[in-house]
């Protein structure tokens, strides 16, 4: 999900092409910036490869195995476990929002203080002030009664396994709040399994889970009507006619012929449910799997029936029929630049201004473009001199914004990617020539809302959020829906970033790593503060006295703004109100960020890798400060108190010193890396790192953490890493082995690896897992040496991904592994197994199950401490004596959401947990540890000082001709800085 990765590869290829055209054949900086031929760009096609989950066999029902029922059973099992003896309370550490250093990363781009990904939103229309709203994210449900100034969690202790995908309030029954758990954005990095529907009839004071619940791992949309409560999940449509006491499946005719349900689990992926204003018996449902007709493992389309379905009799089972698109000129495939599979994800909204009951709006992604292989500009592919498969004109994913004035019978195209390019205030449109343009992630960022006052005003969210005015050009022809023309204009109200800050962070590597000063007035069209990219949800409400307010949720949390006569827009004319980029208020005062990993650092600080919000340090008072941009994944302390290592998606690694003042990319260019590429650090030697994909690489030397020196050829490049092993192809359909977990201690190492854990390779029955290691009988491991490395047999391991490995260096032939299921959409334990934690006592050759009474859920990390195993899972943290099968709960007070990681400090007395959606939490043991994973042995290994290569190459050594050569070098320079990358992004994981 990282546009920076795409942009970096694009800049590199463009620069290299210009250099080749200029006759330059030797470029000293290339070794530091060029991806190896196997390091494919992180384009949309690769995101499908990395993240599309496995297709599974279906059972007798049309929905197949129910993920939320499996998760709920795991929650109940966890609650029944005894508490470990001597358990202490967990302590919340934060961060309570993340701030930014002015001129650096998100600070340069003037993003607001961020929180976790905002995925669900419901404004309580029973409060005439518009001040009461409910928010949902990976950490639970929150309420505000003062328009976001104060925010309170109302789901803790009431809703277990609490990632929230949808919220709804029943306007007919004040106090009725419906919570849909599980986030199904599109089987990508932000997805999380839930426990189904939860219902409150007292405004969130209490919640119940109906025994007859919905299916699927995630709830996408909830709509309350007088005829019932409708719920759309990743597996289909459900309805309740008893105020949420029970839910019944409502099958839709989503197969190719529209005579019955389509192929599961993607064929009935519901993205919108709308009841017609004033006619509650009419319900329209959108089926919108973002990759549409993309072939599954059996060669058949994953979703055959994307489109609209309608019931005019209250939405009962059997009452929905497909709404065929009448002609090519008035359908979702009206655009001349559509792909051959134009209908992907769909968002719907009826007009909310008076007299707009028959007006519908639809924001549609293009499934063909999202899958890849087609070009929205109709231009030929550019040359690919490095063989990287990079083309800056590869597709985005936007089909268009459509309007219907006859209740969805005919559609008129209002916006497309090309039409949005001139939009006022947009920062993203300036990147169109490089493959980053409005709607590039429309399968992931997609919402539409209408204005309650102006019938021609509409708002919609992509990577940026837009405000559009679509007036009638021929008002006398309104009665004829096939002869309507519109005067259109649009502007961005939530821009991608501050224009100046965005581009100066890219260019800062050319001027010694110092950002150019940007205007801080906030009055320009493209300067000033904004919220955060990647828009997921919004709602516009009418305020007393005729004003308007918008609540917005995106990858940076929730933001609020009241409309006004704005100086930075074209739409604010006369008495019309408009929303601005510069006056958003953050509604992120709670600790709700999403750390993949957390680690103890110096001065009592904790480091956290925060998904789309970079990497930050957190002080003991809970204040967060960004130190690495990009998508924050893994993080480790550096060799000095002011240094650290942070990683991003794929194998991107940064070395940072001066508390963030200097940074250098030290990415190893591994073969076939997993999106969330794991890395491990020797607890006794912080300059000793190990990382991998198909291969295993060890860091042998650190470079100068100054981007200017790296650019000029004097910094350390990929030769800092030594390849100690290449596992090659796995037995699963010839796919590569792919590293998924590491532990390193001195010269000893284990690597969990998986074959066919990318669902596009096949279903879960093809998965193979094992371990790579240099623990070998009769062989003495040595630092950065190949001699002992080998692929262990892994007999007994199930068809699950190894997410964690743990061993005691004093007994290295005994290794424990923690296991994950790789399918969000549902899985069959008969195929993938039920093992969660296993042990091998012969260096990974044979494994036996020690899961015992541990809940049937994902195990994300395993530690050893003084002979006790500690496991971080999707439903809590548990402990058992090593080798035992009797597990108990460790500690109390931990939020009921996924624990992605746990790590000990060097003494083993403290442990930090990365709680996805709730920040970092700390557990304190009664005493220091004697032995264990992450505990520094009494006799430390000698520290290897950072090695800096002598200067060499540089601009003068390139022999560049003028013109093309200089332009090429500038693009290469941009690739260096962008790939670092200097800020955040999704995605991507």
């Amino acid at each position: 999900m990282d546009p920076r990765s795409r942009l970096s590869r694009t800049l590199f290829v463009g620069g290299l092409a210009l250099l080749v055209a200029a006759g330059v054949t030797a470029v000293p900086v290339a070794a530091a910036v060029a991806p190896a031929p196997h390091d494919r760009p992180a384009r949309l096609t690769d995101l499908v490869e990395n993240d599309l989950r496995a297709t599974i066999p279906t059972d007798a029902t049309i929905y197949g195995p129910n993920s939320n029922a499996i998760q709920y059973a795991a929650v109940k099992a966890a609650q029944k476990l005894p508490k470990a003896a001597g358990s202490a309370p967990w302590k919340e550490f934060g961060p309570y929002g993340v701030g930014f250093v002015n001129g650096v990363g998100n600070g340069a781009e003037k993003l607001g203080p961020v929180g976790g990904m905002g995925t669900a939103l419901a404004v309580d229309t029973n409060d005439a002030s518009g001040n009461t709203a409910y928010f949902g994210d990976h950490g639970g449900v929150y309420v505000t009664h003062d328009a976001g100034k104060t925010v309170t969690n109302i789901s803790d202790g009431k809703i277990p396994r609490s990632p929230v995908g949808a919220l709804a309030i029943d306007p007919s029954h004040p106090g009725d709040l419906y919570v849909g758990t599980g986030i199904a954005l599109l089987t990508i990095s932000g997805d999380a399994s839930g426990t189904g529907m939860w219902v409150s009839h007292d405004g969130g004071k209490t919640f119940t889970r109906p025994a007859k619940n919905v299916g699927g791992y995630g709830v996408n949309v909830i709509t309350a009507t007088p005829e019932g409560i409708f719920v759309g999940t990743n597996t289909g449509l459900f309805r309740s006619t008893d105020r949420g006491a029970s839910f019944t499946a409502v099958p839709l005719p989503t197969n190719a012929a529209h005579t019955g349900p389509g192929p599961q689990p993607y064929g009935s992926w519901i993205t919108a449910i709308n009841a017609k204003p004033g006619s509650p018996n009419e319900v329209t449902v959108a089926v919108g799997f973002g990759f549409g007709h993309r072939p599954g493992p059996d060669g058949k389309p994953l979703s055959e029936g994307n489109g609209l379905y309608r019931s005019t009799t209250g939405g009962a089972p059997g009452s929905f029929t497909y709404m065929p698109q009448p002609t090519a000129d008035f359908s979702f495939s009206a655009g001349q630049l559509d792909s051959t599979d134009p209908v992907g994800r769909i968002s719907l909204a009826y007009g909310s201004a008076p007299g707009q009951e028959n007006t519908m709006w639809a924001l549609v992604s293009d499934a063909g473009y999202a899958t890849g292989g087609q070009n929205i500009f109709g231009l030929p592919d550019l040359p690919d001199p490095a063989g990287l498969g990079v083309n800056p004109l590869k597709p985005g994913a936007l089909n268009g914004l459509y309007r219907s004035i006859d209740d969805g019978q005919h559609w008129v195209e209002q916006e497309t990617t090309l039409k949005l390019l001139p939009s006022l205030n947009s920062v993203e449109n300036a990147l169109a020539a490089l493959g980053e343009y409005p709607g590039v992630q429309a399968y992931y960022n997609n919402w539409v809302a209408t204005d309650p006052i102006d019938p021609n005003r509409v708002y919609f969210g992509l990577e940026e959020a837009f405000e559009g005015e679509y007036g009638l050009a021929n008002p006398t022809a309104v009665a004829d829906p096939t002869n309507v023309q519109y005067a259109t204009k649009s502007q961005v109200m939530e821009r991608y970033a501050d224009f100046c800050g965005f581009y100066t962070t890219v260019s800062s590597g050319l001027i010694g790593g110092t950002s150019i000063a940007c205007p801080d007035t906030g009055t320009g069209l493209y300067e000033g503060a904004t919220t955060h990219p990647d828009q997921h949800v919004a709602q516009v409400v009418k305020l007393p006295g005729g004003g308007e307010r918008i609540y917005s949720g995106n990858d940076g949390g929730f933001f609020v703004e009241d409309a006004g006569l704005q100086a930075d827009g074209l739409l604010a004319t006369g008495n019309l109100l408009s929303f601005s980029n510069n006056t958003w208020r953050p509604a992120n005062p709670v600790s709700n960020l999403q750390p993949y990993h957390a680690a103890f650092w110096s001065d009592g600080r904790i480091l956290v890798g925060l998904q789309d919000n970079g990497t930050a340090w957190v002080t003991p008072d809970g204040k967060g400060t960004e130190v690495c941009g990009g998508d924050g994944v893994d993080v480790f302390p550096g060799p000095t108190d002011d240094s650290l290592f942070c990683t991003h998606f794929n194998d991107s690694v940064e070395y940072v010193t001066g508390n963030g003042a200097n940074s250098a990319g030290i990415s190893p260019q591994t073969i076939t890396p997993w999106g969330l590429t794991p890395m491990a650090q020797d607890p006794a030697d912080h300059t000793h790192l190990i990382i991998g994909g198909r291969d295993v690489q060890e860091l042998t030397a650190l470079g100068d953490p100054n981007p200017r020196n790296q650019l000029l050829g004097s910094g350390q490049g990929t030769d800092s890493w030594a390849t100690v092993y290449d596992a090659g192809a796995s037995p699963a359909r010839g796919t590569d082995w792919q590293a998924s977990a590491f532990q390193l201690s001195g010269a000893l190492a284990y690597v969990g690896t998986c074959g066919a854990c990318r669902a596009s390779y096949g279903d879960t029955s093809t998965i193979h897992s094992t371990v790579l290691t240099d623990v070998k009988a009769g062989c003495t491991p040595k630092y950065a040496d190949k001699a002992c490395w080998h692929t262990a047999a892994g007999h007994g391991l199930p068809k699950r991904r190894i997410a964690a490995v743990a061993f005691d260096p004093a007994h290295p032939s005994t290794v424990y592994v923690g296991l994950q299921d790789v399918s969000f959409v549902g899985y069959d334990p008969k195929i993938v197994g039920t093992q969660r934690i296993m042990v091998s006592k012969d260096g990974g050759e044979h494994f036996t199950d020690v899961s015992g009474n541990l809940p049937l859920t994902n195990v994300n990390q395993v530690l050893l401490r003084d002979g006790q195993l500690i496991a971080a899972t999707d439903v809590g943290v548990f402990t058992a004596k090593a080798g035992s099968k009797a597990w108990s709960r460790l500690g109390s007070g931990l939020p009921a959401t996924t624990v992605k990681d746990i790590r000990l400090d060097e003494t083993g007395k403290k442990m930090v947990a990365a709680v996805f959606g709730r920040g970092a939490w700390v557990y304190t043991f009664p005493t220091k540890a004697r032995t264990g994973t992450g505990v520094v042995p009494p006799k430390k290994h000698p520290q290897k000082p950072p090695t800096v290569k002598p200067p060499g190459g540089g601009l003068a050594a390139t022999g560049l001709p003028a013109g093309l050569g200089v332009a090429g070098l500038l693009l290469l320079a941009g690739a260096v800085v962008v790939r670092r990358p200097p800020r955040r992004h999704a995605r991507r994981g």
Side-chain angles (χ1 to χ4, degrees):
M1 293 303 304
D2 189 354
R4 286 283 181 171
S5 297
R6 292 195 301 269
L7 178 55
S8 173
R9 270 65 168 199
T10 299
L11 290 171
F12 170 74
V13 171
L16 187 58
L18 289 174
L19 291 174
V20 171
V24 180
T25 57
V27 184
V29 297
V33 301
H38 56 259
D39 187 20
R40 299 175 60 214
R43 303 174 301 172
L44 289 171
T45 50
D46 294 314
L47 295 173
V48 177
E49 291 283 320
N50 283 337
D51 297 309
L52 189 60
R53 306 298 174 180
T55 302
I56 58 168
T58 57
D59 61 15
T61 73
I62 65 169
Y63 295 112
N66 191 344
S67 292
N68 79 62
I70 295 172
Q71 288 290 343
Y72 186 59
V75 167
K76 300 298 288 184
Q79 292 171 344
K80 293 179 180 179
L81 289 181
K83 187 183 295 185
S87 280
W90 287 87
K91 181 181 179 181
E92 186 176 17
F93 200 89
Y96 301 95
V98 172
F100 309 110
V101 177
N102 189 30
V104 176
N106 287 348
E109 297 166 37
K110 298 185 177 64
L111 301 188
V114 295
M117 178 190 295
T119 53
L121 170 64
V123 179
D124 189 352
T125 56
N126 297 299
D127 179 358
S129 71
N131 291 336
T132 298
Y134 295 86
F135 303 148
D137 61 17
H138 283 77
V141 184
Y142 305 82
V143 67
T144 178
H145 296 292
D146 53 13
K149 296 176 183 177
T150 58
V151 178
T152 305
N153 184 288
I154 61 171
S155 59
D156 278 357
K158 305 171 189 176
I159 301 178
R161 192 74 181 100
S162 55
V164 178
L167 294 167
I169 300 168
D170 187 348
S172 303
H173 299 90
D176 281 12
L177 173 64
Y178 296 89
V179 178
T181 63
I183 296 170
L185 292 170
L186 196 59
T187 60
I188 54 179
S189 60
D191 285 24
S193 297
T195 54
M197 285 292 299
W198 292 79
V199 180
S200 173
H201 295 301
D202 53 15
K205 295 178 181 179
T206 61
F207 287 94
T208 58
R209 182 184 187 274
K212 191 176 180 183
N213 215 284
V214 301
Y217 77 86
V219 176
N220 298 329
V221 59
I222 308 169
T223 299
T225 79
E227 300 300 315
I229 309 302
F230 292 88
V231 177
T233 78
N234 67 293
T235 62
L237 178 67
F238 298 81
R239 184 181 72 148
S240 172
T241 56
D242 52 14
R243 294 177 62 190
S246 63
F247 288 87
T248 301
V250 182
L252 301 176
T254 56
N255 63 11
H258 301 295
T259 57
Q264 295 298 325
Y266 303 105
S268 294
W269 193 290
I270 309 299
T271 57
I273 305 171
N274 290 72
K276 184 177 180 180
S279 303
N281 282 330
E282 181 179 307
V283 180
T284 305
V285 174
V287 174
F289 182 64
F291 299 116
H293 291 168
R294 183 181 188 275
D298 57 3
K300 297 180 181 179
L302 292 172
S303 180
E304 299 172 330
N306 280 1
L308 303 183
Y309 298 81
R310 176 170 289 173
S311 168
T312 58
T313 57
S319 66
F320 281 89
T321 57
Y322 176 64
M323 295 177 66
Q325 309 258 308
T327 67
D329 291 336
F330 304 102
S331 70
F332 294 154
S333 57
Q336 295 180 354
L337 296 176
D338 292 333
S339 76
T340 55
D341 184 17
V343 181
R345 181 171 171 177
I346 305 170
S347 294
L348 293 175
Y350 272 101
S352 53
Q356 294 296 298
E357 294 80 6
N358 282 317
T359 298
M360 294 187 76
W361 295 84
L363 186 66
V364 186
S365 75
D366 190 302
Y369 288 155
T371 299
Q374 300 176 76
N375 187 315
I376 69 168
F377 294 105
L379 299 175
D381 289 355
L382 293 183
D384 185 11
L388 302 178
V390 178
N391 174 13
L393 297 182
K394 284 296 184 189
L398 178 63
N399 177 324
L401 175 70
Y402 292 85
R403 185 186 203 178
S404 170
I405 61 172
D406 59 359
D407 198 18
Q409 300 302 315
H410 299 84
W411 295 92
V412 176
E413 183 182 87
Q414 303 283 252
E415 297 284 9
T416 64
T417 292
L418 296 181
K419 290 180 180 179
L420 288 173
L421 288 179
S423 297
L424 193 68
N425 290 317
S426 175
V427 173
E428 191 182 26
N429 59 16
L431 296 174
L434 300 175
E436 189 73 28
Y437 31 74
V440 70
Q441 292 181 171
Y443 62 95
Y444 174 69
N445 312 128
N446 192 305
W447 62 259
V448 63
T450 56
D451 192 283
I453 298 175
D454 183 350
N456 294 318
R457 180 75 59 85
V458 69
Y459 311 92
F460 54 98
L462 298 165
E463 303 79 46
E464 299 177 305
F466 292 81
E467 179 179 49
E469 185 77 17
Y470 305 97
L472 288 173
N474 57 338
T476 59
V478 172
D480 183 0
T482 66
N483 187 29
V484 179
Q485 300 173 15
Y486 298 95
T488 67
K489 54 184 177 181
S490 60
Q491 65 184 28
V492 168
M493 61 182 183
E494 290 182 84
R495 63 169 73 93
Y496 203 76
D498 174 87
F499 182 90
C500 175
F502 181 91
Y503 286 104
T504 56
T505 55
V506 173
S507 62
S508 62
L510 299 175
I511 57 172
T514 303
S515 295
I516 300 171
C518 290
D520 199 28
T521 60
T523 58
L525 293 177
Y526 299 97
E527 288 79 35
T530 185
T531 60
H532 190 288
D534 297 346
Q535 311 302 322
H536 294 298
V537 64
Q539 188 170 341
V540 182
V541 294
K542 187 176 179 180
L543 301 178
E548 292 179 321
R549 174 177 295 151
I550 186 168
Y551 291 84
S552 172
N554 50 49
D555 270 8
F558 289 96
F559 298 84
V560 186
E561 184 181 20
D562 292 345
L565 295 176
Q566 306 297 344
D568 69 342
L570 292 177
L571 304 187
T573 57
N575 294 321
L576 295 180
L577 299 175
S578 181
F579 293 104
S580 166
N581 283 278
N582 302 322
T583 57
W584 290 92
R585 306 188 303 272
N588 300 307
V590 294
S591 180
N592 65 338
L593 282 115
Q594 298 162 229
Y596 282 119
H597 297 278
F600 290 99
W601 200 27
S602 57
D603 300 324
R605 294 175 292 180
I606 286 176
L607 297 168
V608 283
L610 295 174
Q611 200 253 349
D612 202 21
N613 292 294
T615 297
W617 77 64
V618 190
T619 55
D621 62 358
K623 181 180 179 180
T625 301
E626 185 192 60
V627 66
C628 291
D631 284 274
V633 181
D634 216 340
V635 64
F636 297 91
T640 59
D641 287 346
D642 68 346
S643 67
L644 66 129
F645 300 95
C646 58
T647 77
H648 311 282
F649 276 90
N650 293 326
D651 58 355
S652 180
V653 185
E654 283 185 71
Y655 172 46
V656 179
T657 63
N659 290 306
N662 301 303
S663 66
I666 59 168
S667 303
Q669 304 299 328
T670 61
I671 305 171
T672 321
W674 180 34
L676 299 177
T677 306
M679 189 169 78
Q681 182 180 63
D682 186 347
D685 182 352
H686 288 178
T687 62
H688 186 196
L689 305 176
I690 189 170
I691 196 170
R694 188 185 80 183
D695 54 341
V696 179
Q697 298 193 30
E698 287 189 57
L699 183 68
T700 59
L702 280 173
D704 185 345
N706 183 305
R708 175 178 169 82
N709 287 343
Q710 184 189 30
L711 174 65
L712 299 181
S714 62
Q716 192 68 48
T718 57
D719 56 348
S720 300
W721 298 85
T723 300
V724 295
Y725 190 60
D726 187 339
S730 80
R733 299 187 182 180
T735 59
D736 284 347
W737 287 112
Q738 196 173 44
S740 54
F742 286 91
Q743 189 193 337
L744 175 66
S745 182
L748 302 170
Y750 277 94
V751 180
T753 189
C754 189
C757 275
R758 295 176 176 180
S760 57
Y761 293 150
D763 59 37
T764 50
S765 65
T766 68
I767 291 173
H768 290 263
S769 291
T770 190
V771 293
L772 317 175
T773 183
D774 61 356
V775 176
K776 184 177 182 181
C779 187
T780 302
K782 296 180 181 178
Y783 173 75
D785 185 71
K786 299 180 180 181
C788 300
W789 278 94
H790 64 286
T791 302
H795 294 304
L797 288 170
K799 297 182 181 300
R800 290 173 174 246
R801 175 187 283 130
I802 296 175
V805 291
F807 69 95
D808 184 343
H811 306 282
S813 62
T814 297
V815 59
Y816 294 86
V817 297
L819 300 163
Q820 291 177 338
D821 172 66
V822 300
S823 170
F824 275 120
V825 295
Y827 58 92
D828 188 343
K830 294 179 181 177
I831 295 176
V832 303
T834 59
Q835 299 93 326
R836 285 84 77 204
I837 294 183
M838 303 188 76
V839 63
S840 171
K841 297 186 177 181
D842 56 5
E845 296 299 312
H846 299 83
F847 283 87
T848 57
D849 190 11
V850 292
S851 304
N853 61 339
L854 191 69
L856 180 56
T857 188
N858 288 327
V859 174
N860 305 313
Q861 183 60 280
V862 177
L863 296 180
L864 273 166
R865 182 187 184 276
D866 286 351
Q868 288 285 124
L869 275 175
I870 306 174
T873 78
D874 281 1
V875 294
V877 179
F878 306 91
T879 185
K881 185 178 179 180
S884 169
K885 297 183 179 181
W887 293 85
S888 55
R889 289 180 287 124
L890 181 63
S892 60
L894 201 64
T897 190
T898 298
V899 181
K900 291 283 190 180
D901 189 20
I902 47 175
R903 293 187 192 174
L904 299 169
D905 69 358
E906 289 193 342
T907 71
K909 183 176 174 62
K910 292 182 178 292
M911 182 169 65
V912 61
V915 183
F916 205 65
R918 297 298 291 272
W921 289 65
V922 173
Y923 185 85
T924 302
F925 294 94
T927 61
K928 296 179 180 180
R930 299 182 301 276
T931 61
T933 307
V935 178
V936 178
K939 185 178 181 180
K940 293 187 178 183
H941 300 288
Q943 290 275 29
K944 300 187 299 297
T947 301
V948 180
K949 284 189 172 181
L955 288 174
T958 65
L960 288 176
L964 287 178
V966 174
L969 184 58
L970 291 176
L971 288 178
L972 287 173
V976 178
V977 181
V978 172
R979 193 182 192 279
R980 259 187 1 249
R983 66 171 184 91
R984 50 109 228 353
H985 193 94
R987 205 265 112 158
R988 88 63 279 239

